[in-house]
Amino acid sequence: MLAGKKVLLAVCGSIAAYKTAFFVRLLKKEAAEVKVIMTENAKEFITPLTLSTLSKNPVYSNYFERGSGEWHNHVELGLWADLMIVAPLSANTLGKMANGLCDSLLLAVYFSAKCPVIVAPAMDLDMYQHPSTQSNLEKLTSYGNEVIEAKRGELASGLSGQGRMAEPEELLEIVRKKITANNLLKGKKVLITSGPTYEAIDPVRFIGNHSSGRMGVAIAKVFKEYGANVTVISGPANHFASEVENIHVESAKEMLDEAKKRYDNADIVIFAAAVSDYRPSKPSDQKLKKKNGVDSLAIEFIKNPDIAAEMGTKKGNQIHIGFALETQNEESNAKQKLKEKNFDLIVLNSLNDRGAAFQGATNKVTFFDKNNKEVKFELKSKIEVAKDIANHVIENFL
Ligand code: C5P
């Protein structure tokens, strides 16, 4: 299953590093290509010679070799890999990955990798339970990385509790699953609208909304990870997925134009943008001036195009997924939109649910699909919601 797949193993300083020798053996038995990066501390626990002999490749630790001056390009290593697994992941490297610190080759590769990343933490139980460690692990999950929870049992300190790295056999199983997932949407072209739209009032002001673009980014990351070819048409959001093609727009009209250009080529279209329903009918060419003695200002609005509805009328074999953000009559409004906009699936999130708001990292959704299937989910990270969407598409529409 792993024949020819390129696995980048990143090893941190932890006693669990001794298990990586067995893990590399298992990967090689499956005919995977393996390259290993180690932090300086990792070398105290297992030698580079062991891992280079087993992986049949040089082991990388530094940006360049002292002496020969040979340069190890972190971007190339990140692009080479089909999958990166950090095992064992120490609290120190975890903190840096979660917060953007970059003082080793391992971290530079992590920040430049475009492939799926799995991490297998290993540390003493109190370190593992610390709120800082737990919040850093949550951050990695929100970045789209998969966290293999530490196991319970005897620890090197002599204490007993949660902190042991998963065994090599389990790591292999998870790598296998991830690589298979990578093929589930291979060759599919996915078009996503994301973020808010800004509608000009004058050259310096606009009317917009609070959409952060996070849901669209999560969907882009997950569909990309499943092997799809992803394009995101995004309004002025705070979040972007660096792994995919991004088209930047401002207004609903621009978003529609860009969507139209790409629609015929798309297999799956996901309307995750929070599009302004109306726009100022006559945006001013010049900045509107405050007028003495005039205490109110009226702006006339006209209706914007409904991108999802318009694409819905052109629909061929495409699969359409829409969102509904409702504050009342949620279910009936969502079901009505499913029909009216010709969606195959609508994802309802309610502003009444805590954690399901615009800016956050979590969402609580219910699916309604064209086959009258209804699935209610618990509050979860937007990445997990995006996985549920991808799995629903794969299981029901492909
Ligand atoms: O009608 P409502 O705005 O609630 O519909 C939400 C769904 O329709 C979302 O999927 C949104 O991206 C899409 N939509 C759109 N163009 C609009 C308004 C909504 O694509 N002008």
Side-chain angles (χ1 to χ4, degrees):
M1 195 181 280
L2 296 181
K5 295 293 175 195
K6 300 184 177 91
V7 178
L8 190 58
L9 169 66
V11 185
C12 305
S14 152
I15 182 61
Y18 82 88
K19 294 184 188 174
T20 57
F22 300 98
F23 181 47
V24 173
R25 280 288 296 134
L26 291 176
L27 290 169
K28 292 300 289 182
K29 270 194 190 163
E30 298 245 340
E33 278 187 55
V34 182
K35 288 188 181 178
V36 179
I37 309 175
M38 299 175 83
T39 61
E40 284 304 321
N41 287 333
K43 294 181 190 167
E44 304 287 343
F45 293 94
I46 184 165
T47 70
L49 183 60
T50 307
L51 295 180
S52 71
T53 309
L54 292 171
S55 67
K56 300 192 167 50
N57 269 316
V59 166
Y60 305 92
S61 275
N62 298 307
Y63 290 96
F64 60 91
E65 296 300 324
R66 262 182 222 296
S68 73
E70 190 193 343
W71 159 251
H72 302 308
N73 187 326
H74 55 92
V75 178
E76 263 173 24
L77 270 172
L79 292 179
W80 171 85
D82 294 315
L83 182 135
M84 178 174 184
I85 174 162
V86 189
L89 170 65
S90 65
N92 180 38
T93 298
L94 165 64
K96 292 174 183 173
M97 286 165 74
N99 295 292
L101 275 78
C102 187
D103 64 358
S104 69
L105 181 71
L106 185 155
L107 289 158
V109 172
Y110 168 69
F111 289 121
S112 34
K114 294 206 183 293
C115 59
V117 179
I118 302 175
V119 301
M123 57 197 83
D124 213 49
L125 76 166
D126 294 317
M127 289 173 80
Y128 192 70
Q129 288 309 335
H130 195 278
S132 166
T133 306
Q134 290 301 316
S135 105
N136 284 336
L137 286 171
E138 275 169 29
K139 276 193 188 170
L140 292 199
T141 308
S142 78
Y143 302 158
N145 306 154
E146 179 165 343
V147 176
I148 305 174
E149 277 208 7
K151 308 293 159 202
R152 288 174 194 285
E154 242 175 63
L155 301 166
S157 60
L159 297 172
S160 184
Q162 192 176 14
R164 292 167 62 91
M165 185 178 82
E167 294 304 318
E169 290 75 11
E170 187 182 343
L171 299 184
L172 180 72
E173 198 44 46
I174 290 166
V175 166
R176 276 205 200 116
K177 270 204 192 122
K178 200 74 170 179
I179 296 237
T180 320
N182 230 333
N183 286 324
L184 290 173
L185 291 173
K186 203 161 199 87
K188 296 286 176 210
K189 295 204 175 65
V190 177
L191 186 62
I192 301 168
T193 68
S194 180
T197 63
Y198 284 2
E199 311 295 338
I201 295 171
D202 67 18
V204 290
R205 290 138 176 151
F206 60 85
I207 174 155
N209 59 63
H210 290 303
S211 169
S212 63
R214 278 178 114 147
M215 193 63 237
V217 167
I219 294 168
K221 281 178 185 275
V222 168
F223 277 73
K224 162 83 183 164
E225 194 173 308
Y226 280 28
N229 198 325
V230 178
T231 302
V232 181
I233 306 173
S234 178
N238 305 326
H239 297 265
F240 293 95
S242 59
E243 304 89 333
V244 304
E245 183 190 17
N246 285 288
I247 312 289
H248 300 280
V249 296
E250 291 234 327
S251 66
K253 272 189 356 194
E254 288 169 14
M255 192 174 271
L256 175 66
D257 287 346
E258 295 298 335
K260 272 185 181 164
K261 281 188 215 162
R262 293 165 179 82
Y263 182 75
D264 289 344
N265 258 333
D267 300 302
I268 301 170
V269 189
I270 303 169
F271 301 92
V275 185
S276 296
D277 289 327
Y278 292 87
R279 67 176 183 276
S281 57
K282 293 187 194 85
S284 169
D285 289 343
Q286 303 297 328
K287 185 179 169 192
L288 295 177
K289 290 282 190 197
K290 184 165 53 194
K291 289 185 186 139
N292 280 340
V294 180
D295 291 339
S296 68
L297 171 71
I299 298 175
E300 189 193 52
F301 287 87
I302 53 167
K303 215 172 201 158
N304 255 336
D306 189 313
I307 302 168
E310 202 166 320
M311 300 283 126
T313 62
K314 294 165 91 199
K315 193 167 161 191
N317 292 324
Q318 287 90 344
I319 296 159
H320 283 200
I321 299 154
F323 280 78
L325 180 73
E326 304 292 337
T327 51
Q328 53 185 349
N329 302 328
E330 304 169 328
E331 191 174 323
S332 61
N333 281 339
K335 284 181 174 165
Q336 197 180 336
K337 275 174 201 165
L338 175 75
K339 279 217 177 82
E340 279 175 5
K341 303 202 188 200
N342 203 6
F343 289 141
D344 296 271
L345 169 70
I346 192 154
V347 179
L348 167 69
N349 40 57
S350 160
L351 271 183
N352 296 329
D353 284 319
R354 277 195 69 208
F358 257 140
Q359 301 275 349
T362 53
N363 211 349
K364 186 165 185 292
V365 303
T366 309
F367 288 179
F368 300 97
D369 81 7
K370 61 173 179 187
N371 308 322
N372 298 320
K373 240 190 201 175
E374 183 180 327
V375 196
K376 260 196 166 70
F377 295 92
E378 293 304 310
L379 182 73
K380 41 173 94 177
S381 74
K382 287 185 175 172
I383 286 284
E384 296 299 319
V385 173
K387 282 185 187 160
D388 290 332
I389 295 172
N391 291 335
H392 193 94
V393 168
I394 292 162
E395 283 159 25
N396 294 277
F397 307 137
L398 293 179

